[in-house]
Amino acid sequence: MMRQQPRWQRRKFRQSAVQTVIPVHVDVRDRNSVSRAIERTVGLGRLDVLVNSAGVTGKTNIPTAQVDPDDWDNVFAINSRGVFLMCRAA
């Protein structure tokens, strides 16, 4: 049976494993903005992790027939197309 490392050693490893975190502002709806953000990130070294956390809900609790198509396009552009563009560029 393998012996588990003491908690303090695991914590020390986790702290040393995280070198630098740099948040980057990007409009995930815009292909050029996405490309610039990825290029900037890779220009600093390399891209290890991509977190797609942008998301909106739009108007809620209304019948589909009352949803403005422009609102729907914006929700889809951020929640779906944005993930696609970020993964594609990375």
Side-chain angles (χ1 to χ4, degrees), residues 10-89:
R10 291 192 309 259
R11 183 174 51 242
K12 183 178 177 183
F13 173 76
R14 284 194 308 266
Q15 289 171 348
S16 67
V18 177
Q19 301 270 331
T20 305
V21 175
I22 301 170
V24 177
H25 176 79
V26 59
D27 180 352
V28 297
R29 299 168 296 180
D30 178 40
R31 186 183 310 185
N32 292 326
S33 179
V34 167
S35 293
R36 283 191 306 272
I38 296 297
E39 288 170 8
R40 178 177 172 224
T41 303
V42 173
L44 296 172
R46 66 183 197 201
L47 176 64
D48 292 320
V49 177
L50 173 66
V51 177
N52 284 300
S53 64
V56 296
T57 59
K59 294 180 181 177
T60 59
N61 297 324
I62 60 173
T64 302
Q66 294 177 8
V67 174
D68 183 312
D70 291 335
D71 289 340
W72 168 251
D73 288 342
N74 186 53
V75 170
F76 191 80
I78 293 171
N79 295 354
S80 295
R81 187 170 193 261
V83 172
F84 166 74
L85 290 176
M86 290 298 294
C87 290
R88 182 176 180 265

